[in-house]
Amino acid sequence: KFMYLHGRKSFSASETDLENLRSNLQTGGLLLADAACGKPEFDRSFREFAAKLYPDQKLEVIPADDPLFSAKLNGGQA
């Protein structure tokens, strides 16, 4: 279950939306969020959204040495 959230402006989600997304993520789903052109309105809104989605956790930077960035997962080039 791949979900893509993309935008330039602020947005909001209902509690039902959050519950549905949380359920998808907890059962193996993946959410990719992208602030078009680095728009700060979307970025702020997404951070608020994430805090509501998982209030007991915080967004963190993925370390550069994480396997996600490894050569194995990126066509031979880290």
Side-chain angles (χ1 to χ4, degrees), residues 25-39:
L25 293 171
Q26 290 171 341
T27 57
L30 172 70
L31 173 64
L32 173 66
D34 175 37
C37 303
K39 292 293 187 176

Side-chain angles (χ1 to χ4, degrees), residues 64 66-78:
D66 189 275
L68 180 66
F69 300 122
S70 69
K72 181 178 179 180
L73 294 180
N74 291 283
Q77 183 175 354

Side-chain angles (χ1 to χ4, degrees), residues 8-77:
R8 293 185 175 129
K9 298 179 181 179
S10 62
F11 66 94
S12 62
S14 70
E15 188 55 40
T16 299
D17 294 334
L18 292 168
E19 288 174 16
N20 288 333
L21 178 57
R22 196 176 298 115
S23 177
N24 276 322
L25 293 171
Q26 290 171 341
T27 57
L30 172 70
L31 173 64
L32 173 66
D34 175 37
C37 303
K39 292 293 187 176
E41 297 90 345
F42 182 88
D43 181 69
R44 270 191 304 275
S45 198
F46 178 77
R47 290 172 188 278
E48 292 171 7
F49 170 78
K52 290 177 186 172
L53 186 62
Y54 289 108
D56 297 333
Q57 298 181 29
K58 64 177 185 166
L59 289 176
E60 296 181 21
V61 174
I62 300 171
D65 63 349
D66 189 275
L68 180 66
F69 300 122
S70 69
K72 181 178 179 180
L73 294 180
N74 291 283
Q77 183 175 354

